[in-house]
Amino acid sequence: MAKEKGVKELEDLPGVGPTTAEKLKQLGYDNIEKIATASPHELVEVAGMKLEAAKQAVDAAKQATTLEYKTASEVNDKRMALGKIKTGAKSLDDLLGGGVEANAITEAYGKFASGKTQFGFQLSVNVQKPVESGGLGGKTLFIDTEGTFRPDRIEQMAKAEGLDPKHALEGILVVRATTTDQQILAVERADKLVREENIKLIVVDSLMSLFRSEFIGRGALNERQGKLNMHIHKLQKLADTFDLAVYITNQVMDNPAILFGDPTTPVGGNIVAHAATTRLYMRKSKEDKRIVRLVDSPNLPEGEAVIKITPEGISD
Ligand code: GTP
Ligand code: MG
């Protein structure tokens, strides 16, 4: 799409020399459109560019990018046609405008035992149901970075959904990643698997734990965010290309800058915040109750749903 003024490659942008271009490409900013939609501060953060140079590059990239205009009704048709995975709880489906969306990244963050992993299990089962029953008729790629995948929970949930438990287990491809390199590779190399196995959901549980344990201290932050950025770009690309849903779980910290209200903040910084289309904050309530708050969505109002985690899975 990029043309005009001879700007075709990253190297053609003002403020971008060959070394920076190479770095940007490695970070996943591999074409002019990606620069055009980046913020100058993001480029400063991930690629160590000077702010002035980053501004020039983004401006030039914007000018060089031609846009394809669609009517709102075309956009609406496309959105309505997108699949959604029902969660098992009506109140949560309503909060999400029908369920967990394909072509998007949905993030759940919250403290331990808030239900992030259980939600991932439930989606891994539900996605296998046909579209008319609230699934996407496909399999799950489950990237387990914490060693908390539990086949017996899948069996329980599948039975409760009226699915054959054996079949449901066959429908989930699990990768146990113990390093960020393995986690990244599991996604980098997923294209073929996604196509051949008809993967309709990718779960990364959890996104940040390995990144946090491997990259320690301020000195490692740039490198960490750069790698993370590439990883998330790839997830986004898979979601777009294959019309699949991505569900990531995220850890939290207390943000001391928040003086009033709940200081619980997801980790991962701006890169994760921008990447997640929908952010859900999960909190433990009494017994098996969990409160799910929709924090950030482009088209849905903020709100909360109360769900239960039972032996059968997620319900109202
Ligand atoms: P971390 O990964 O530690 O950050 O937590 P998480 O948010 O992933 O929590 P997870 O989804 O693993 O939720 C664990 C909670 O789910 C447990 O404390 C139980 O309350 C509940 N749970 C797990 N399995 C079952 C089950 O078989 N029956 C019921 N009723 N509850 C369960
Ligand atoms: Mg968990």
Side-chain angles (χ1 to χ4, degrees):
M1 276 201 290
K3 45 178 176 355
E4 292 171 14
K5 299 187 183 166
V7 174
K8 287 194 197 74
E9 305 290 333
L10 298 196
E11 289 86 343
D12 302 331
L13 294 168
V16 179
T19 320
T20 307
E22 198 41 51
K23 192 166 182 188
L24 285 167
K25 283 179 204 168
Q26 280 177 13
L27 291 167
Y29 298 90
D30 48 10
N31 61 49
I32 301 288
E33 279 80 24
K34 292 218 177 112
I35 302 293
T37 53
S39 80
H41 286 282
E42 181 183 334
L43 299 184
V44 171
E45 192 181 329
V46 301
M49 289 177 77
K50 293 252 161 35
L51 183 59
E52 208 39 53
K55 279 183 183 161
Q56 282 181 12
V58 171
D59 281 347
K62 280 186 177 148
Q63 285 182 24
T65 306
T66 53
L67 290 171
E68 185 193 335
Y69 289 94
K70 288 198 183 90
T71 67
S73 110
E74 281 168 336
V75 174
N76 192 41
D77 288 349
K78 179 150 194 281
R79 288 219 76 78
M80 293 305 284
L82 291 180
K84 301 219 165 98
I85 310 170
K86 288 224 160 68
T87 64
K90 173 87 169 56
S91 58
L92 184 52
D93 289 343
D94 289 347
L95 186 70
L96 290 166
V100 168
E101 229 179 359
N103 296 67
I105 298 182
T106 301
E107 173 196 0
Y109 67 88
K111 297 201 171 93
F112 69 94
S114 57
K116 307 179 293 292
T117 296
Q118 298 296 317
F119 190 20
F121 291 166
Q122 188 73 62
L123 293 173
S124 303
V125 170
N126 291 6
V127 70
Q128 301 187 41
K129 299 204 266 185
V131 175
E132 53 284 8
S133 314
L136 297 175
K139 294 184 183 172
T140 300
L141 169 60
F142 198 109
I143 301 168
D144 177 15
T145 74
E146 299 184 332
T148 51
F149 184 78
R150 295 285 175 273
D152 48 322
R153 283 296 280 150
I154 300 294
E155 283 181 311
Q156 281 178 307
M157 290 179 181
K159 262 187 218 149
E161 289 296 336
L163 299 173
D164 172 14
K166 264 221 178 74
H167 194 257
L169 286 174
E170 296 287 325
I172 305 175
L173 295 115
V174 186
V175 183
R176 170 77 173 104
T178 55
T179 64
T180 54
D181 284 333
Q182 288 176 353
Q183 181 180 339
I184 289 166
L185 273 183
V187 172
E188 283 305 315
R189 296 194 182 154
D191 289 79
K192 190 161 170 273
L193 189 76
V194 167
R195 228 178 302 115
E196 290 176 359
E197 298 286 339
N198 187 33
I199 303 280
K200 283 291 170 192
L201 169 69
I202 299 178
V203 176
V204 185
D205 183 23
S206 77
L207 180 74
M208 291 300 301
S209 55
L210 296 172
F211 279 94
R212 286 177 97 195
S213 57
E214 271 177 44
F215 297 90
I216 296 163
R218 280 214 73 77
L221 197 60
N222 273 345
E223 195 192 349
R224 184 189 92 173
Q225 292 305 86
K227 269 185 117 176
L228 184 62
N229 193 46
M230 261 205 299
H231 184 46
I232 291 177
H233 266 293
K234 181 65 195 183
L235 285 167
Q236 249 158 358
K237 207 165 205 169
L238 287 167
D240 285 342
T241 313
F242 297 104
D243 293 329
L244 55 81
V246 173
Y247 171 74
I248 60 181
T249 68
N250 199 4
Q251 301 166 310
V252 294
M253 58 179 182
D254 279 348
N255 182 351
I258 298 176
L259 297 177
F260 303 100
D262 189 344
T264 310
T265 310
V267 301
N270 284 337
I271 286 178
V272 181
H274 289 151
T277 320
T278 301
R279 305 195 102 179
L280 297 169
Y281 172 29
M282 298 184 70
R283 304 200 303 277
K284 201 168 182 307
S285 176
K286 287 203 188 88
E287 288 145 29
D288 53 1
K289 286 207 185 98
R290 298 292 186 281
I291 301 162
V292 187
R293 180 163 188 82
L294 182 71
V295 178
D296 198 6
S297 160
N299 56 332
L300 297 165
E302 286 210 0
E304 287 188 347
V306 181
I307 60 165
K308 268 182 167 180
I309 303 176
T310 70
E312 288 76 38
I314 287 178
S315 65
D316 279 296

mmCIF file of all heavy atoms in Angstrom, residues 102-137:
data_model
loop_
_atom_site.group_PDB
_atom_site.id
_atom_site.type_symbol
_atom_site.label_atom_id
_atom_site.label_comp_id
_atom_site.label_asym_id
_atom_site.label_seq_id
_atom_site.Cartn_x
_atom_site.Cartn_y
_atom_site.Cartn_z
ATOM 1 N N ALA A 102 -12.909 -13.502 17.766
ATOM 2 C CA ALA A 102 -11.840 -13.892 16.850
ATOM 3 C C ALA A 102 -11.226 -12.619 16.257
ATOM 4 O O ALA A 102 -11.785 -11.539 16.395
ATOM 5 C CB ALA A 102 -12.386 -14.774 15.741
ATOM 6 N N ASN A 103 -10.081 -12.742 15.615
ATOM 7 C CA ASN A 103 -9.362 -11.602 15.018
ATOM 8 C C ASN A 103 -8.939 -10.571 16.057
ATOM 9 O O ASN A 103 -8.786 -9.392 15.723
ATOM 10 C CB ASN A 103 -10.212 -10.862 13.969
ATOM 11 C CG ASN A 103 -10.530 -11.723 12.785
ATOM 12 O OD1 ASN A 103 -11.273 -12.691 12.923
ATOM 13 N ND2 ASN A 103 -9.961 -11.412 11.652
ATOM 14 N N ALA A 104 -8.804 -10.998 17.291
ATOM 15 C CA ALA A 104 -8.476 -10.031 18.340
ATOM 16 C C ALA A 104 -7.725 -10.732 19.466
ATOM 17 O O ALA A 104 -7.729 -11.955 19.559
ATOM 18 C CB ALA A 104 -9.753 -9.402 18.882
ATOM 19 N N ILE A 105 -7.096 -9.906 20.292
ATOM 20 C CA ILE A 105 -6.424 -10.430 21.476
ATOM 21 C C ILE A 105 -7.237 -10.051 22.702
ATOM 22 O O ILE A 105 -7.555 -8.880 22.906
ATOM 23 C CB ILE A 105 -4.990 -9.867 21.601
ATOM 24 C CG1 ILE A 105 -4.144 -10.298 20.397
ATOM 25 C CG2 ILE A 105 -4.340 -10.322 22.908
ATOM 26 C CD1 ILE A 105 -2.689 -9.834 20.447
ATOM 27 N N THR A 106 -7.603 -11.035 23.481
ATOM 28 C CA THR A 106 -8.304 -10.794 24.744
ATOM 29 C C THR A 106 -7.356 -11.138 25.878
ATOM 30 O O THR A 106 -6.771 -12.217 25.896
ATOM 31 C CB THR A 106 -9.578 -11.663 24.826
ATOM 32 O OG1 THR A 106 -10.423 -11.344 23.720
ATOM 33 C CG2 THR A 106 -10.316 -11.418 26.132
ATOM 34 N N GLU A 107 -7.217 -10.197 26.796
ATOM 35 C CA GLU A 107 -6.297 -10.399 27.912
ATOM 36 C C GLU A 107 -7.082 -10.486 29.214
ATOM 37 O O GLU A 107 -8.006 -9.709 29.441
ATOM 38 C CB GLU A 107 -5.328 -9.202 27.988
ATOM 39 C CG GLU A 107 -4.436 -9.212 29.215
ATOM 40 C CD GLU A 107 -3.770 -7.852 29.490
ATOM 41 O OE1 GLU A 107 -4.008 -6.894 28.728
ATOM 42 O OE2 GLU A 107 -3.046 -7.753 30.489
ATOM 43 N N ALA A 108 -6.714 -11.449 30.060
ATOM 44 C CA ALA A 108 -7.271 -11.487 31.415
ATOM 45 C C ALA A 108 -6.128 -11.300 32.392
ATOM 46 O O ALA A 108 -5.143 -12.031 32.335
ATOM 47 C CB ALA A 108 -7.967 -12.816 31.670
ATOM 48 N N TYR A 109 -6.248 -10.293 33.249
ATOM 49 C CA TYR A 109 -5.228 -10.132 34.274
ATOM 50 C C TYR A 109 -5.870 -10.171 35.647
ATOM 51 O O TYR A 109 -7.070 -9.934 35.797
ATOM 52 C CB TYR A 109 -4.416 -8.850 34.060
ATOM 53 C CG TYR A 109 -5.149 -7.536 34.252
ATOM 54 C CD1 TYR A 109 -5.228 -6.951 35.512
ATOM 55 C CD2 TYR A 109 -5.741 -6.886 33.177
ATOM 56 C CE1 TYR A 109 -5.882 -5.723 35.692
ATOM 57 C CE2 TYR A 109 -6.400 -5.678 33.357
ATOM 58 C CZ TYR A 109 -6.458 -5.100 34.605
ATOM 59 O OH TYR A 109 -7.116 -3.909 34.780
ATOM 60 N N GLY A 110 -5.071 -10.520 36.642
ATOM 61 C CA GLY A 110 -5.597 -10.603 37.999
ATOM 62 C C GLY A 110 -4.633 -11.379 38.873
ATOM 63 O O GLY A 110 -3.680 -11.983 38.380
ATOM 64 N N LYS A 111 -4.907 -11.339 40.153
ATOM 65 C CA LYS A 111 -4.031 -12.019 41.115
ATOM 66 C C LYS A 111 -4.144 -13.537 40.975
ATOM 67 O O LYS A 111 -4.988 -14.035 40.230
ATOM 68 C CB LYS A 111 -4.426 -11.603 42.534
ATOM 69 C CG LYS A 111 -4.253 -10.120 42.800
ATOM 70 C CD LYS A 111 -4.148 -9.855 44.299
ATOM 71 C CE LYS A 111 -3.756 -8.430 44.574
ATOM 72 N NZ LYS A 111 -4.896 -7.511 44.775
ATOM 73 N N PHE A 112 -3.320 -14.256 41.730
ATOM 74 C CA PHE A 112 -3.352 -15.727 41.692
ATOM 75 C C PHE A 112 -4.744 -16.224 42.097
ATOM 76 O O PHE A 112 -5.423 -15.581 42.907
ATOM 77 C CB PHE A 112 -2.270 -16.318 42.597
ATOM 78 C CG PHE A 112 -2.522 -16.101 44.070
ATOM 79 C CD1 PHE A 112 -3.179 -17.061 44.834
ATOM 80 C CD2 PHE A 112 -2.104 -14.936 44.687
ATOM 81 C CE1 PHE A 112 -3.437 -16.852 46.179
ATOM 82 C CE2 PHE A 112 -2.366 -14.720 46.028
ATOM 83 C CZ PHE A 112 -3.026 -15.669 46.773
ATOM 84 N N ALA A 113 -5.125 -17.332 41.512
ATOM 85 C CA ALA A 113 -6.417 -17.977 41.791
ATOM 86 C C ALA A 113 -7.626 -17.128 41.416
ATOM 87 O O ALA A 113 -8.738 -17.379 41.873
ATOM 88 C CB ALA A 113 -6.521 -18.411 43.256
ATOM 89 N N SER A 114 -7.418 -16.116 40.578
ATOM 90 C CA SER A 114 -8.565 -15.307 40.160
ATOM 91 C C SER A 114 -9.343 -15.981 39.025
ATOM 92 O O SER A 114 -10.445 -15.543 38.695
ATOM 93 C CB SER A 114 -8.113 -13.896 39.756
ATOM 94 O OG SER A 114 -7.158 -13.947 38.734
ATOM 95 N N GLY A 115 -8.769 -17.019 38.426
ATOM 96 C CA GLY A 115 -9.521 -17.780 37.428
ATOM 97 C C GLY A 115 -9.039 -17.619 35.996
ATOM 98 O O GLY A 115 -9.672 -18.106 35.066
ATOM 99 N N LYS A 116 -7.882 -16.981 35.811
ATOM 100 C CA LYS A 116 -7.362 -16.722 34.463
ATOM 101 C C LYS A 116 -7.115 -18.024 33.700
ATOM 102 O O LYS A 116 -7.480 -18.152 32.529
ATOM 103 C CB LYS A 116 -6.052 -15.918 34.542
ATOM 104 C CG LYS A 116 -6.158 -14.646 35.364
ATOM 105 C CD LYS A 116 -4.845 -13.897 35.426
ATOM 106 C CE LYS A 116 -3.729 -14.586 36.193
ATOM 107 N NZ LYS A 116 -3.946 -14.705 37.647
ATOM 108 N N THR A 117 -6.477 -18.980 34.389
ATOM 109 C CA THR A 117 -6.164 -20.250 33.738
ATOM 110 C C THR A 117 -7.432 -21.059 33.484
ATOM 111 O O THR A 117 -7.610 -21.640 32.404
ATOM 112 C CB THR A 117 -5.160 -21.040 34.588
ATOM 113 O OG1 THR A 117 -3.932 -20.295 34.652
ATOM 114 C CG2 THR A 117 -4.874 -22.410 34.009
ATOM 115 N N GLN A 118 -8.337 -21.066 34.470
ATOM 116 C CA GLN A 118 -9.597 -21.800 34.306
ATOM 117 C C GLN A 118 -10.385 -21.268 33.102
ATOM 118 O O GLN A 118 -10.960 -22.039 32.342
ATOM 119 C CB GLN A 118 -10.452 -21.672 35.577
ATOM 120 C CG GLN A 118 -9.805 -22.273 36.820
ATOM 121 C CD GLN A 118 -9.611 -23.771 36.720
ATOM 122 O OE1 GLN A 118 -10.498 -24.487 36.255
ATOM 123 N NE2 GLN A 118 -8.451 -24.253 37.134
ATOM 124 N N PHE A 119 -10.383 -19.965 32.937
ATOM 125 C CA PHE A 119 -11.054 -19.329 31.802
ATOM 126 C C PHE A 119 -10.411 -19.812 30.497
ATOM 127 O O PHE A 119 -11.103 -20.119 29.517
ATOM 128 C CB PHE A 119 -10.960 -17.808 31.972
ATOM 129 C CG PHE A 119 -11.792 -17.000 31.012
ATOM 130 C CD1 PHE A 119 -12.868 -17.543 30.339
ATOM 131 C CD2 PHE A 119 -11.496 -15.652 30.796
ATOM 132 C CE1 PHE A 119 -13.633 -16.782 29.459
ATOM 133 C CE2 PHE A 119 -12.244 -14.885 29.926
ATOM 134 C CZ PHE A 119 -13.314 -15.453 29.247
ATOM 135 N N GLY A 120 -9.091 -19.910 30.504
ATOM 136 C CA GLY A 120 -8.378 -20.407 29.324
ATOM 137 C C GLY A 120 -8.763 -21.845 28.994
ATOM 138 O O GLY A 120 -8.933 -22.203 27.824
ATOM 139 N N PHE A 121 -8.916 -22.672 30.030
ATOM 140 C CA PHE A 121 -9.347 -24.065 29.813
ATOM 141 C C PHE A 121 -10.740 -24.095 29.183
ATOM 142 O O PHE A 121 -11.004 -24.831 28.234
ATOM 143 C CB PHE A 121 -9.407 -24.828 31.143
ATOM 144 C CG PHE A 121 -8.054 -25.096 31.778
ATOM 145 C CD1 PHE A 121 -7.973 -25.518 33.102
ATOM 146 C CD2 PHE A 121 -6.874 -24.942 31.067
ATOM 147 C CE1 PHE A 121 -6.749 -25.773 33.701
ATOM 148 C CE2 PHE A 121 -5.644 -25.191 31.660
ATOM 149 C CZ PHE A 121 -5.582 -25.601 32.989
ATOM 150 N N GLN A 122 -11.620 -23.269 29.749
ATOM 151 C CA GLN A 122 -13.000 -23.261 29.263
ATOM 152 C C GLN A 122 -13.066 -22.847 27.787
ATOM 153 O O GLN A 122 -13.767 -23.470 26.992
ATOM 154 C CB GLN A 122 -13.845 -22.289 30.112
ATOM 155 C CG GLN A 122 -15.322 -22.343 29.808
ATOM 156 C CD GLN A 122 -15.960 -23.620 30.359
ATOM 157 O OE1 GLN A 122 -15.953 -23.850 31.560
ATOM 158 N NE2 GLN A 122 -16.494 -24.461 29.489
ATOM 159 N N LEU A 123 -12.290 -21.834 27.427
ATOM 160 C CA LEU A 123 -12.280 -21.389 26.021
ATOM 161 C C LEU A 123 -11.699 -22.469 25.130
ATOM 162 O O LEU A 123 -12.144 -22.678 24.006
ATOM 163 C CB LEU A 123 -11.475 -20.091 25.887
ATOM 164 C CG LEU A 123 -12.075 -18.851 26.548
ATOM 165 C CD1 LEU A 123 -11.091 -17.685 26.484
ATOM 166 C CD2 LEU A 123 -13.393 -18.465 25.883
ATOM 167 N N SER A 124 -10.676 -23.180 25.644
ATOM 168 C CA SER A 124 -10.031 -24.250 24.865
ATOM 169 C C SER A 124 -11.012 -25.360 24.531
ATOM 170 O O SER A 124 -10.883 -26.031 23.511
ATOM 171 C CB SER A 124 -8.857 -24.857 25.643
ATOM 172 O OG SER A 124 -7.923 -23.875 25.981
ATOM 173 N N VAL A 125 -11.967 -25.581 25.421
ATOM 174 C CA VAL A 125 -13.016 -26.574 25.183
ATOM 175 C C VAL A 125 -14.092 -25.977 24.272
ATOM 176 O O VAL A 125 -14.454 -26.558 23.252
ATOM 177 C CB VAL A 125 -13.642 -27.032 26.527
ATOM 178 C CG1 VAL A 125 -14.894 -27.861 26.291
ATOM 179 C CG2 VAL A 125 -12.613 -27.808 27.343
ATOM 180 N N ASN A 126 -14.566 -24.790 24.645
ATOM 181 C CA ASN A 126 -15.718 -24.209 23.938
ATOM 182 C C ASN A 126 -15.434 -23.886 22.471
ATOM 183 O O ASN A 126 -16.328 -23.957 21.637
ATOM 184 C CB ASN A 126 -16.203 -22.954 24.659
ATOM 185 C CG ASN A 126 -16.849 -23.279 26.001
ATOM 186 O OD1 ASN A 126 -16.824 -24.435 26.434
ATOM 187 N ND2 ASN A 126 -17.397 -22.285 26.660
ATOM 188 N N VAL A 127 -14.194 -23.516 22.154
ATOM 189 C CA VAL A 127 -13.851 -23.166 20.774
ATOM 190 C C VAL A 127 -14.083 -24.350 19.833
ATOM 191 O O VAL A 127 -14.300 -24.174 18.639
ATOM 192 C CB VAL A 127 -12.385 -22.667 20.673
ATOM 193 C CG1 VAL A 127 -11.391 -23.808 20.906
ATOM 194 C CG2 VAL A 127 -12.108 -22.020 19.327
ATOM 195 N N GLN A 128 -14.055 -25.555 20.404
ATOM 196 C CA GLN A 128 -14.180 -26.760 19.579
ATOM 197 C C GLN A 128 -15.620 -27.017 19.139
ATOM 198 O O GLN A 128 -15.872 -27.797 18.228
ATOM 199 C CB GLN A 128 -13.658 -27.973 20.354
ATOM 200 C CG GLN A 128 -12.197 -27.802 20.771
ATOM 201 C CD GLN A 128 -11.611 -29.056 21.395
ATOM 202 O OE1 GLN A 128 -11.859 -30.162 20.921
ATOM 203 N NE2 GLN A 128 -10.826 -28.882 22.453
ATOM 204 N N LYS A 129 -16.559 -26.358 19.803
ATOM 205 C CA LYS A 129 -17.958 -26.537 19.413
ATOM 206 C C LYS A 129 -18.208 -25.845 18.069
ATOM 207 O O LYS A 129 -17.510 -24.908 17.703
ATOM 208 C CB LYS A 129 -18.875 -25.930 20.486
ATOM 209 C CG LYS A 129 -18.684 -26.599 21.837
ATOM 210 C CD LYS A 129 -19.907 -26.464 22.701
ATOM 211 C CE LYS A 129 -19.830 -25.278 23.605
ATOM 212 N NZ LYS A 129 -20.976 -25.205 24.527
ATOM 213 N N PRO A 130 -19.214 -26.314 17.346
ATOM 214 C CA PRO A 130 -19.515 -25.652 16.068
ATOM 215 C C PRO A 130 -19.991 -24.210 16.297
ATOM 216 O O PRO A 130 -20.440 -23.873 17.396
ATOM 217 C CB PRO A 130 -20.635 -26.501 15.471
ATOM 218 C CG PRO A 130 -21.099 -27.415 16.538
ATOM 219 C CD PRO A 130 -20.066 -27.471 17.610
ATOM 220 N N VAL A 131 -19.896 -23.410 15.235
ATOM 221 C CA VAL A 131 -20.229 -21.990 15.344
ATOM 222 C C VAL A 131 -21.641 -21.794 15.899
ATOM 223 O O VAL A 131 -21.869 -20.946 16.774
ATOM 224 C CB VAL A 131 -20.083 -21.297 13.968
ATOM 225 C CG1 VAL A 131 -20.551 -19.854 14.025
ATOM 226 C CG2 VAL A 131 -18.630 -21.361 13.503
ATOM 227 N N GLU A 132 -22.599 -22.628 15.418
ATOM 228 C CA GLU A 132 -23.988 -22.417 15.856
ATOM 229 C C GLU A 132 -24.182 -22.755 17.340
ATOM 230 O O GLU A 132 -25.150 -22.349 17.962
ATOM 231 C CB GLU A 132 -24.985 -23.166 14.949
ATOM 232 C CG GLU A 132 -24.779 -24.627 14.705
ATOM 233 C CD GLU A 132 -23.644 -24.987 13.723
ATOM 234 O OE1 GLU A 132 -22.872 -24.097 13.296
ATOM 235 O OE2 GLU A 132 -23.528 -26.176 13.404
ATOM 236 N N SER A 133 -23.213 -23.452 17.943
ATOM 237 C CA SER A 133 -23.319 -23.747 19.376
ATOM 238 C C SER A 133 -22.397 -22.874 20.219
ATOM 239 O O SER A 133 -22.123 -23.180 21.385
ATOM 240 C CB SER A 133 -22.989 -25.218 19.643
ATOM 241 O OG SER A 133 -23.634 -26.061 18.735
ATOM 242 N N GLY A 134 -21.861 -21.818 19.613
ATOM 243 C CA GLY A 134 -21.071 -20.880 20.394
ATOM 244 C C GLY A 134 -19.577 -21.120 20.367
ATOM 245 O O GLY A 134 -18.829 -20.536 21.152
ATOM 246 N N GLY A 135 -19.122 -21.990 19.455
ATOM 247 C CA GLY A 135 -17.685 -22.194 19.305
ATOM 248 C C GLY A 135 -17.208 -21.621 17.986
ATOM 249 O O GLY A 135 -17.897 -20.831 17.347
ATOM 250 N N LEU A 136 -15.999 -22.032 17.585
ATOM 251 C CA LEU A 136 -15.493 -21.634 16.273
ATOM 252 C C LEU A 136 -15.149 -22.868 15.436
ATOM 253 O O LEU A 136 -14.499 -22.780 14.406
ATOM 254 C CB LEU A 136 -14.252 -20.740 16.415
ATOM 255 C CG LEU A 136 -14.425 -19.389 17.128
ATOM 256 C CD1 LEU A 136 -13.086 -18.686 17.279
ATOM 257 C CD2 LEU A 136 -15.399 -18.503 16.348
ATOM 258 N N GLY A 137 -15.541 -24.027 15.935
ATOM 259 C CA GLY A 137 -15.316 -25.265 15.199
ATOM 260 C C GLY A 137 -13.861 -25.542 14.895
ATOM 261 O O GLY A 137 -13.519 -26.012 13.815
#
